[in-house]
Amino acid sequence: MASGRSEHWSDFWASGALTSLPQDFSGNYDGELAAFWQREFEALPPSARLLDVCTGNGALAVLAAEYSARQARSFHITGLDAARLQPRRMAESHPEAAAFLEPIRFIDQTPLESASFPAGQFDFIMSQYGIEYCDWPRAAERVARWLSSGGCFSLVAHAADSAMIERMGREEAEYDWLEQQGLMPALAQWLAAEIDATVFRQSMAALQPVLEREAKKRRSPLLANALNMAVATARMDEAAMQRREQDFRGFHQQLRLGRARLRDFLRVNRAIAADRQWYRPFLEAGLRLRDSGDILYRGRHHAGRFYRFQKDD
Ligand SMILES: C[S@@+](CC[C@H](N)C(=O)[O-])C[C@H]1O[C@@H](n2cnc3c(N)ncnc32)[C@H](O)[C@@H]1O
């Protein structure tokens, strides 16, 4: 079962997303990120066994499968994640990735910390915006155990000072603002039948002018959505509100899980920013750091920091 901690990710992958950052990447990870991974794949033996940890709907696993197919390799690729995954749904919205799903074995609803593979099972373990979400010491101990002797572990972690994180910080402030203005509490209370439709409608009508001003000022899609909901609600009679109850529930769920996902991103980024040597547990687990560095996307945007480890013979 996907735990409560994974609900926001399960919900997100059910939307058919390919990467965890669809606002920043319309398809799969490309540019300097894809180039980094391509160099890693080039160094692997033809039938290498790969594990993509925290794989999501398989963006990185798909990059590996694509490389394997194009270069006539026969990589064996496993993708692992704590959330419920929907790679088939992803393939419907990203047909260009569909052909590469076949060789990937997805193991979902399985936190890395409780997954079990035989020791030495993988030649290459990889992670894109992933392993930093786990318990670092427990994840490190497992990665070191699952790697074959001489095997490598490479990861690209979020960069705490990236434009993506800046945008997420602004979005977090917008959620907080919606909460303070009473929109999220009023919606939750009406859905739980703690207030009646009239009170809810009145509170949405009262919120409209301030929402309109703030959505314009912050040029925020989130606040614009909330404004649309408030305007529509204020115009409805009670019967129409009852008929549209599922839409209200959907919007409430979208707000709740979107906020939880954002908090998860920011929690991880803040933890990394607070400890520049956050990856120390991987060294303590016996891996050797071969190199690390920044990835500048399109030559400009700090898209992440890579770390390349090896398990020595
Ligand atoms: C930011 S997303 C990245 C997903 C994918 N690598 C990508 O780049 O699209 C982080 C993923 O880590 C997963 N995750 C978080 N904690 C985990 C854990 N302890 N074990 C396995 N997966 C975990 C989440 O479910 C989510 O799918």
Side-chain angles (χ1 to χ4, degrees):
M1 280 288 291
S3 74
R5 281 191 56 191
S6 299
E7 187 195 0
H8 52 285
W9 285 114
S10 300
D11 173 75
F12 178 72
W13 299 123
S15 72
L18 173 53
T19 73
S20 58
L21 296 166
Q23 302 98 315
D24 301 289
F25 300 91
S26 57
N28 207 337
Y29 296 117
D30 59 2
E32 290 83 346
L33 280 169
F36 169 80
W37 287 113
Q38 164 134 349
R39 282 193 296 278
E40 299 299 280
F41 302 146
E42 276 165 8
L44 298 175
S47 311
R49 299 157 301 168
L50 284 69
L51 173 66
D52 180 21
V53 293
C54 307
T55 188
N57 267 350
L60 180 53
V62 164
L63 283 184
E66 205 175 333
Y67 177 87
S68 179
R70 297 228 159 97
Q71 301 298 321
R73 310 277 183 101
S74 45
F75 289 170
H76 302 272
I77 307 166
T78 303
L80 174 83
D81 202 285
R84 205 176 317 108
L85 305 178
Q86 305 275 357
R88 299 279 150 214
R89 204 170 283 177
M90 177 278 281
E92 283 163 21
S93 37
H94 296 275
E96 72 287 0
F100 303 109
L101 279 182
E102 205 49 52
I104 305 171
R105 177 169 73 122
F106 283 98
I107 303 175
D108 69 352
Q109 301 180 75
T110 308
L112 186 151
E113 298 86 338
S114 55
S116 82
F117 295 107
Q121 174 81 2
F122 297 104
D123 304 302
F124 185 56
I125 300 184
M126 55 191 180
S127 164
Q128 172 76 45
Y129 303 146
I131 204 155
E132 61 267 43
Y133 287 77
C134 299
D135 175 285
W136 300 336
R138 289 168 69 204
E141 183 266 319
R142 276 165 177 77
V143 165
R145 178 151 35 97
W146 297 337
L147 271 182
S148 58
S149 175
C152 292
F153 167 50
S154 296
L155 70 107
V156 176
H158 289 295
D161 58 347
S162 72
M164 299 168 203
I165 304 306
E166 224 178 276
R167 174 172 52 69
M168 288 173 195
R170 282 197 300 274
E171 219 178 303
E172 185 186 41
E174 292 163 11
Y175 277 106
D176 292 348
W177 185 85
L178 283 177
E179 175 96 49
Q180 285 154 13
Q181 296 299 317
L183 183 138
M184 296 203 303
L187 180 54
Q189 282 168 344
W190 175 62
L191 289 171
E194 288 165 13
I195 57 174
D196 66 23
T198 310
V199 174
F200 177 52
R201 206 170 38 237
Q202 283 166 351
S203 62
M204 290 304 104
L207 258 179
Q208 265 185 51
V210 63
L211 249 180
E212 197 162 353
R213 218 179 26 247
E214 208 62 22
K216 211 177 275 173
K217 190 173 102 191
R218 302 191 194 213
R219 284 201 228 123
S220 153
L222 174 67
L223 298 191
N225 270 346
L227 174 63
N228 287 342
M229 195 272 299
V231 170
T233 309
R235 285 187 189 142
M236 278 182 219
D237 59 20
E238 194 162 334
M241 286 175 72
Q242 295 306 340
R243 277 198 306 277
R244 302 270 309 272
E245 190 184 324
Q246 276 319 312
D247 296 340
F248 283 105
R249 286 200 184 280
F251 185 63
H252 181 245
Q253 162 115 329
Q254 200 185 316
L255 287 178
R256 189 173 66 80
L257 297 177
R259 190 183 200 189
R261 202 170 55 249
L262 196 65
R263 283 180 166 167
D264 210 10
F265 263 119
L266 290 166
R267 168 188 68 81
V268 169
N269 276 281
R270 286 170 185 149
I272 289 178
D275 179 2
R276 293 196 73 78
Q277 286 221 320
W278 68 273
Y279 56 86
R280 208 180 306 106
F282 294 92
L283 305 176
E284 288 162 3
L287 300 181
R288 176 170 59 80
L289 183 63
R290 292 194 295 168
D291 62 345
S292 64
D294 293 317
I295 295 191
L296 284 188
Y297 185 67
R298 300 207 191 287
R300 282 185 290 142
H301 307 292
H302 194 185
R305 192 161 173 80
F306 72 83
Y307 299 86
R308 303 172 65 239
F309 297 91
Q310 181 151 22
K311 177 171 171 175
D312 289 327
D313 293 336

